[in-house]
């Protein structure tokens, strides 16, 4: 590799002028005075700009993040005097010739995004940076696991996977890097994904009033520009590039209880039994580092867990799955199988002279598997055989930034990088993702067709293909609770829908009110896990007294009743990349109120339920409901959209609203996902002037047979205009566990007078609906009225599950 110029350049230097260009299929190669550019059309709304100072870069198009390939796309190329124009059905890319700069327009000439005219793409030494004009009123959203506001304007962020214990609420960088953001202005939106795993910096007008920029410490400027009409479509286009989750095991969507650490086995069993005794639903218990022998991965502590298979069987019989922590550091100890094998087979990260790289973590001095080497991944994956045989099916990948005491991996450490070779500078950000991949692929192979659950702390774009992500070592405070919600929403906008935070806070101690609020909100997080630090107060739902326990049970119960809805939403995420927790910036992008710091934490859980997180102590709160009709979930009271509202928010009442026109499938309460609910699928329909529909999904919840067609979807459609509710034929081979439908009509003011199913009148009955139990003993404000958590006289019809059309009259 040779620099184009042999002489040192002290200032930033940009692309220079166009020298020549050449067109191939959907790709145009440009040569400029200082660099080479390849423009590739991926689809009508996605164009890739690959800018390099080395011509031979284009010979090897490798990415850990991107699995998507260009789709056959129609486009035209025009060579005008001063510019080239590439036009697809949606976007015009103007490439100015001298100097070479890029501008994106809609087809009707509205400016979407433009290079800073002077800087464009420039280098400072090996660092490459693209500068974009800051446009009037432009906001920036996304970027994954990043602290700060929903609108990121005015801040800069670094992507450099970092173990940040007890990070402050504005801490950066954290554990997981997804260099993808979206810009929003003048009714338009676009996305930019920079696929470069070196340390990168995204500046959204921080300390300057001129540009938004993104830079990488080394390597090529390689970014995808995405423009569609909506943020949802942009997120889905990003998912076509970097992949989606696979449908998670159903059990992993239940409540998960963690602690650093439950041991010995008796204690683990005791916690599990307490959940059952107290009728608090739960599916998972975690084993943190103390389950191992001297923190050696793939071992069990000989005394504390002397008969792991037996313990796991006992837990399984109680309906519990167990997730164990695995850290990458392999203890340097001869005789320890993974150490001996790794050394013998040359599987660890090393220095340029061939010596294995050593750093200290929990077990003491360790070597680190090189997960960018295929042989290492195969070996690591196969090492789970013993765990899987013992009965484990969940694997928690921690410390994989990689973390070590001292927190400074030397940059000269070498990574295999699929045989290409890379230093720590390029390898670090993908290390955690490749560990998660290796864990996922290995355990999936070992589990005889069952789905493993994999969780990771570190990751990079594309990590969603292998693992869920949690936001690391947060702190028990209101601010942390809220920033965690924003980070999960933001991960959702960066292709990672399966994400969560440590409910209750990892570091420090929650108050009763904070713990309770956190559980209520966590019940509406995609990944729902309580966790807490060693030597901290207990943090199970019963540890904060009776009132907290009652309220926690109430919300955890709701999570389980909502499981048909949640599972269907996860299926949608697996299909399209749509997040599960949806920042209001997705559907209400151009409503400025949703960016107000008062309301920026609000999100839709799936398409129907608006969650308005409020801090622990606040008894009355302001919420903002965006456009549409809304119903509060406790009483069905209608609320107008595009308006602020004051709502009561005592400890046991998280503001939850259902969007008018929604259909929410629910089931009867179970104590874990292995337990079968009654065979009635309850469909809660909410009146709305636009109507609505929902695609219900079901499969066996535990195998990959859905990939072979053993799954089903059924679309329910509520059409307000002609007063019908349609149940489409089911699609797919799977036979639903639900034999009956029970359809509840909310907000129809008790006036659903008659319902005709496929031409035959069926009986309309009425029932009181209570999603949440009334906690009378603890709720002086509400128990006086006694019915405030209950919706009286909701009309419903019940019938054998079949396709058909209901005609309603009122
Ligand atoms: C790290 C993890 C935390 C875990 C602890 C001990 O701090 O982030 O969740 O409990 O290590 O393994």
């Amino acid at each position: 590799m040779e620099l184009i110029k042999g002489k040192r350049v002290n200032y930033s230097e940009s692309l220079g002028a166009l020298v020549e260009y050449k067109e191939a299929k959907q790709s145009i190669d440009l040569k400029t005075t200082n660099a080479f550019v390849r423009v590739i059309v991926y689809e009508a709304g996605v164009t890739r700009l690959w800018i390099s100072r080395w011509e031979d870069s284009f010979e090897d198009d490798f990415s850990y993040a991107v699995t998507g390939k260009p789709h056959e796309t129609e486009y035209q190329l025009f060579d005008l005097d001063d510019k080239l124009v590439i036009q697809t059905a949606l976007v015009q890319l103007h490439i100015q010739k001298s100097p070479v700069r890029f501008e994106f327009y809609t087809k009707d000439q509205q400016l979407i995004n433009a290079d800073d005219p002077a800087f464009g793409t420039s280098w400072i030494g090996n660092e490459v940076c693209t500068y974009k004009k800051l446009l009037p009123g432009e906001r920036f959203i996304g970027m994954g696991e990043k602290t700060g506001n929903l609108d990121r304007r005015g801040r800069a962020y670094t992507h450099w996977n970092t173990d940040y214990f007890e990070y402050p609420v504005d801490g950066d960088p954290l554990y997981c890097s997804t260099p993808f953001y979206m810009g929003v202005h003048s009714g338009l939106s676009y996305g930019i994904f920079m696929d470069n795993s070196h340390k990168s910096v995204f500046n959204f007008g921080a300390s300057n009033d001129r540009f938004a920029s993104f830079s990488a410490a080394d390597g090529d400027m390689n970014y995808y520009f995405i423009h569609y009409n909506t943020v949802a479509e942009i997120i889905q286009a990003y998912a076509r590039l970097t992949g989606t989750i696979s449908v998670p095991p159903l059990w992993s969507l239940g409540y998960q209880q963690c602690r650093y650490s439950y041991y010995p086995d008796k204690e683990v069993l005791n916690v599990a039994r307490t959940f059952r005794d107290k009728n608090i639903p739960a599916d998972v218990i975690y084993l943190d580092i103390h389950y191992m022998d001297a923190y050696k991965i793939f071992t069990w502590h000989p005394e504390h867990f002397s008969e792991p298979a037996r313990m796991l069987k006992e837990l399984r019989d109680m309906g519990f799955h167990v997730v164990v922590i695995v850290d990458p550091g392999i203890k340097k100890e001869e005789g320890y199988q993974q150490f001996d094998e790794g050394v013998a087979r040359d599987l660890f990260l090393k220095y340029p002279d061939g010596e294995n790289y050593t750093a200290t973590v929990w077990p003491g001095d360790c070597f680190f598997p090189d997960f960018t080497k295929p042989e290492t991944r195969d070996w690591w994956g196969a090492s789970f055989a013993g765990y899987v045989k013992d009965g484990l099916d969940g694997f928690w990948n921690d410390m994989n930034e990689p973390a070590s005491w001292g927190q400074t991996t030397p940059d000269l450490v070498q990574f295999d990088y699929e045989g290409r070779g890379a230093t720590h500078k390029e390898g670090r950000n993908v290390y955690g993702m490749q560990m998660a991949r290796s864990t996922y692929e290995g355990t999936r192979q070992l589990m005889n067709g069952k789905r493993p659950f994999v969780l990771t702390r570190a990751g990079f774009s594309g990590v969603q293909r292998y693992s869920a992500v949690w936001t690391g070592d947060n702190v028990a405070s209101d601010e942390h609770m809220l920033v965690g919600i924003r980070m999960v929403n933001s991960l959702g906008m960066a292709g990672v829908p399966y994400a969560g935070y440590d409910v209750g806070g990892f570091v420090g101690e929650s108050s009763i009110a904070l713990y309770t609020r956190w559980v209520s909100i966590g019940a509406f997080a995609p990944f729902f896990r309580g966790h807490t630090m060693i030597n901290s107060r207990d943090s199970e739902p019963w540890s904060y007294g009776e009132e907290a326990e009652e309220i926690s049970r109430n919300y955890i119960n709701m999570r389980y009743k909502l499981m048909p809805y949640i599972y269907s939403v996860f299926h949608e995420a697996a299909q399209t990349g749509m997040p599960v927790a949806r920042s209001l910036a997705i559907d209400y992008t151009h409503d400025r109120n949703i960016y107000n710091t008062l309301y920026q934490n609000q999100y839709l859980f799936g398409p129907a339920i608006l969650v308005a997180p409020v801090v622990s102590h606040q008894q009355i709160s302001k919420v903002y409901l965006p456009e549409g009709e809304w119903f509060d979930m406790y009483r069905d009271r209608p609320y107008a959209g595009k308006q602020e509202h004051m709502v009561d928010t005592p400890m046991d009442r998280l503001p939850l609203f259902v969007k008018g026109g929604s259909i929410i499938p629910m089931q009867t309460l179970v104590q874990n996902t292995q337990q079968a609910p009654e065979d009635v699928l309850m469909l809660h329909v909410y009146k709305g002037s636009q109507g609505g529909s929902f695609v219900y999904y079901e499969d066996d919840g535990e195998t990959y047979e859905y990939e072979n067609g053993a799954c089903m979807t059924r679309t329910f459609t509520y059409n307000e205009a002609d007063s019908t509710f349609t149940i489409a034929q089911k699609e797919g081979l799977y036979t639903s566990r639900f034999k009956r439908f029970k359809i509840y009509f909310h907000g129809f003011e008790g006036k659903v007078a008659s319902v005709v199913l496929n031409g035959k009148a069926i009986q309309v009955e009425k029932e009181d609906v209570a999603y949440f139990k009334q906690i009378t003993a603890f709720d002086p404000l509400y128990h006086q009225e006694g019915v405030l958590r209950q919706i009286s006289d909701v009309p419903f019809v019940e019938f054998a599950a079949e396709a058909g059309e209901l005609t309603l009259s009122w």
Side-chain angles (χ1 to χ4, degrees):
M1 297 212 191
E2 223 183 318
L3 280 181
I4 292 204
K5 287 200 171 171
K7 87 179 176 12
R8 184 203 298 268
V9 179
N10 288 336
Y11 292 116
S12 161
E13 185 185 45
S14 86
L15 274 167
L18 182 66
V19 176
E20 58 184 33
Y21 74 93
K22 202 169 67 212
E23 186 187 0
K25 192 174 179 283
Q26 287 187 211
S27 129
I28 294 119
D29 281 353
L30 320 176
K31 192 168 178 220
T32 74
T33 36
N34 293 325
F36 303 90
V37 182
R38 178 165 288 178
V39 181
I40 310 170
V41 177
Y42 269 61
E43 51 184 71
V46 180
T47 312
R48 174 176 172 195
L49 298 189
W50 185 359
I51 302 172
S52 182
R53 284 199 289 187
W54 302 283
E55 194 168 15
D56 68 353
S57 280
F58 301 128
E59 286 161 22
D60 180 25
D61 189 3
F62 172 74
S63 165
Y64 279 114
V66 172
T67 49
K69 299 271 177 279
H71 299 260
E72 185 93 28
T73 308
E74 294 215 356
Y75 74 97
Q76 289 161 295
L77 172 67
F78 303 99
D79 188 345
L80 310 179
D81 286 350
D82 58 338
K83 60 180 145 202
L84 300 173
V85 174
I86 299 171
Q87 177 169 310
T88 70
L90 279 171
V91 182
Q92 273 186 5
L93 166 57
H94 293 200
I95 307 173
Q96 190 190 297
K97 289 183 182 170
S98 188
V100 171
R101 301 285 179 263
F102 301 92
E103 293 180 345
F104 295 87
Y105 291 87
T106 62
K107 271 192 81 178
D108 53 9
Q109 301 300 316
Q110 262 189 291
L111 178 65
I112 312 169
N113 175 270
D115 280 359
D116 179 284
F119 312 142
T121 291
S122 307
W123 287 265
I124 303 172
N126 280 341
E127 180 185 301
V128 61
C129 188
T130 294
Y131 300 86
K132 298 288 188 182
K133 257 190 210 162
L134 262 185
L135 297 172
E138 192 167 20
R139 300 177 191 278
F140 301 94
I141 56 175
M143 294 287 281
E145 190 188 75
K146 292 292 173 200
T147 58
N149 291 329
L150 169 59
D151 178 0
R152 304 200 174 283
R153 182 148 180 174
R155 254 198 85 167
Y157 293 93
T158 299
H159 291 290
W160 187 241
N161 291 358
T162 300
D163 171 18
Y164 201 160
F165 174 78
E166 203 177 1
Y167 53 94
V169 285
D170 57 356
D172 187 68
L174 302 184
Y175 313 88
C176 183
S177 298
T178 48
F180 171 56
Y181 74 91
M182 287 172 281
V184 173
H185 66 89
S186 18
L188 298 170
S189 35
Y190 66 86
I192 287 182
F193 168 48
M194 181 175 71
D195 186 12
N196 180 325
S197 66
H198 289 89
K199 183 189 280 188
S200 62
V201 177
F202 283 65
N203 181 326
F204 300 112
S207 310
N208 88 84
D209 61 356
R210 177 166 174 175
F211 52 74
S213 67
F214 41 97
S215 67
D218 206 333
D220 295 339
M221 176 48 67
N222 175 24
Y223 73 94
Y224 295 78
F225 184 85
I226 310 177
H227 167 69
Y228 283 102
N229 289 333
T230 64
V231 166
E233 287 170 284
I234 294 168
I235 293 172
Q236 292 176 37
Y238 173 77
R240 285 193 288 281
L241 291 173
T242 64
T244 58
I245 59 166
S246 51
V247 181
L250 182 64
W251 59 264
S252 72
L253 303 182
Y255 178 65
Q256 312 200 14
Q257 184 66 54
C258 191
R259 188 193 214 320
Y260 172 17
S261 308
Y262 291 125
Y263 71 94
D265 44 10
K266 276 186 238 27
E267 163 144 16
V268 180
L269 288 161
N270 200 20
V271 172
R273 265 185 227 112
T274 311
F275 274 99
R276 297 298 175 246
D277 290 349
K278 290 184 168 290
N279 275 319
I280 300 172
D283 268 82
V284 188
I285 291 205
Y286 277 69
L287 300 179
D288 204 328
I289 48 175
H290 291 96
Y291 79 93
M292 292 176 273
D293 178 15
Y295 306 123
K296 285 180 285 187
I297 315 300
F298 307 115
T299 67
W300 290 96
H301 192 285
E303 283 112 52
H304 295 152
F305 293 91
S306 54
E307 289 182 282
R310 206 169 118 179
M311 174 193 74
L312 293 171
K313 161 102 184 35
E314 214 171 309
L315 288 163
R316 186 61 70 94
D317 291 345
M318 280 191 267
F320 276 97
H321 291 255
V322 174
V323 176
V324 289
I325 198 167
V326 289
D327 295 342
I330 296 290
K331 186 176 173 64
K332 276 170 79 170
E333 182 184 282
E334 276 176 31
Y336 164 36
Q337 189 188 336
Q338 273 67 31
F339 173 78
D340 291 345
E341 288 175 359
V343 170
R345 295 175 53 189
D346 190 20
L347 303 174
F348 297 123
L349 294 179
K350 50 189 173 201
Y351 288 109
D353 64 359
E355 186 179 303
N356 285 329
Y357 162 65
T358 301
T360 312
V361 209
W362 307 117
D365 283 352
C366 289
F367 286 165
F368 294 82
D370 181 358
F371 292 108
T372 67
K373 184 170 179 169
E375 295 81 9
T376 305
R377 286 199 299 272
D378 290 347
W379 160 80
W380 173 268
S383 303
F384 285 93
Y387 279 173
V388 169
K389 198 157 156 267
D390 289 331
L392 290 170
D393 49 10
F395 309 95
W396 170 21
N397 294 231
D398 189 25
M399 306 293 274
N400 51 354
E401 291 71 30
S404 56
W405 310 159
Q407 300 290 12
T408 320
T409 311
D411 277 340
L412 82 175
V413 167
Q414 291 188 176
F415 290 60
D416 182 68
Y417 223 79
E418 311 306 301
R420 287 167 175 79
T423 67
H424 173 248
K425 289 174 71 176
E426 191 173 13
R428 182 177 186 86
N429 279 343
V430 297
Y431 186 80
M433 160 203 211
Q434 292 307 304
M435 178 188 180
R437 169 187 180 181
S438 167
T439 303
Y440 175 72
E441 289 174 348
T443 55
R444 180 174 171 168
Q445 257 189 35
L446 291 165
M447 281 176 53
N448 288 326
K450 293 246 172 98
R451 304 173 204 165
F453 167 69
V454 177
L455 178 65
T456 184
R457 196 170 71 177
F460 189 71
S461 293
V463 64
Q464 68 272 10
R465 303 195 295 269
Y466 316 114
S467 181
V469 171
W470 102 104
T471 60
D473 298 342
N474 65 357
V475 180
S477 73
D478 276 300
E479 296 70 27
H480 252 279
M481 178 174 73
L482 297 180
V483 81
I485 295 161
R486 287 201 297 285
M487 286 199 279
V488 166
N489 295 349
S490 172
L491 277 160
M493 290 193 279
V496 185
Y498 198 5
Y501 33 75
D502 286 347
V503 168
F506 181 66
V507 183
E509 288 185 7
S510 277
S511 63
I512 292 174
L514 177 59
Y515 177 81
T516 310
R517 190 72 94 198
W518 219 326
V519 174
S520 325
I521 299 171
F524 301 93
F527 168 65
F528 183 22
R529 182 184 81 160
H531 184 32
T532 188
M533 162 97 165
I534 193 168
N535 297 328
S536 63
R537 79 177 273 184
D538 287 347
S539 200
E540 298 78 25
W542 53 83
S543 315
Y544 282 82
E546 219 179 318
E547 186 174 11
E549 180 181 328
E550 280 272 351
I551 298 168
S552 301
R553 184 187 293 104
N554 227 358
Y555 283 90
I556 297 173
N557 281 350
M558 184 61 177
R559 169 105 180 175
Y560 279 80
K561 290 190 264 187
L562 279 171
M563 210 46 92
Y565 171 76
I566 296 173
Y567 198 55
S568 302
V569 174
F570 267 90
H571 174 251
E572 187 190 354
Q575 296 279 301
T576 68
M578 265 306 272
V580 172
R582 303 175 182 176
S583 161
L584 296 186
I586 298 174
D587 284 352
Y588 309 97
T589 314
H590 303 291
D591 178 346
R592 66 190 171 88
N593 293 322
I594 61 128
Y595 299 97
N596 184 325
T597 50
L598 256 184
Y599 307 125
Q600 62 174 348
N601 307 304
Q602 294 183 187
Y603 62 98
L604 282 164
F605 185 60
I609 302 173
L610 186 144
V611 182
V614 291
V615 292
S616 53
H617 51 267
Q618 212 153 294
Q619 301 289 315
I620 298 178
S621 308
K622 240 187 193 180
V623 300
Y624 174 74
L625 297 176
E627 186 156 21
E629 304 125 280
W630 301 89
F631 295 90
D632 89 281
M633 254 190 134
Y634 299 86
R635 288 176 289 171
D636 268 4
R637 207 178 118 187
Y639 282 77
K642 256 189 154 354
Q643 222 170 286
E644 294 169 322
H645 297 275
M646 296 298 292
V647 291
D648 292 322
T649 52
M651 205 163 89
D652 65 336
R653 194 180 166 97
L654 172 71
L656 295 169
F657 298 88
V658 180
K659 194 159 112 191
S662 297
I663 299 163
I664 305 178
M666 290 176 64
Q667 65 182 22
T668 54
L669 181 61
V670 290
Q671 293 302 310
N672 61 78
T673 58
Q674 256 158 267
Q675 226 176 54
E678 286 171 27
D679 67 0
V680 190
L681 184 67
M682 289 168 282
L683 294 149
H684 292 271
V685 187
Y686 286 78
K687 192 157 166 48
S689 52
Q690 305 300 312
S693 66
F694 188 84
V695 181
Y696 171 75
Y697 174 79
E698 195 180 331
D699 62 20
D700 65 23
E702 56 173 9
T703 74
Y704 287 95
E705 282 307 304
Y706 70 89
E707 289 180 349
N708 308 318
C711 58
M712 63 152 289
T713 57
R714 203 198 269 277
T715 306
F716 298 101
T717 308
Y718 152 41
N719 187 324
E720 166 68 17
D722 62 9
S723 311
T724 55
F725 184 87
T726 317
I727 302 156
Q729 288 292 350
K730 90 168 177 124
E731 287 176 47
L733 304 174
Y734 192 74
T735 307
S736 174
R737 60 165 35 145
F738 297 108
K739 306 296 174 220
R740 304 184 64 74
F741 293 143
K742 192 168 177 184
I743 307 182
Y744 292 88
F745 299 96
H746 293 260
F748 290 72
E749 290 158 10
K751 284 191 205 141
V752 176
S754 66
V755 173
V756 176
L757 169 64
N758 296 335
K760 263 193 275 159
I762 52 170
Q763 202 185 336
V764 182
E765 295 172 70
K766 283 188 180 165
E767 197 177 281
D768 296 340
V769 171
Y771 292 134
F772 300 91
K773 214 179 103 194
Q774 180 82 34
I775 302 172
T776 43
F778 308 108
D779 192 349
L781 193 62
Y782 287 97
H783 92 274
Q784 301 154 5
E785 294 178 53
V787 291
L788 292 179
R789 254 161 215 70
Q790 182 170 304
I791 312 154
S792 305
D793 291 333
V794 182
F796 74 91
V797 290
E798 188 177 344
F799 49 90
E802 57 171 323
E805 188 174 271
L806 299 175
T807 310
L808 326 171
S809 36
W810 55 82

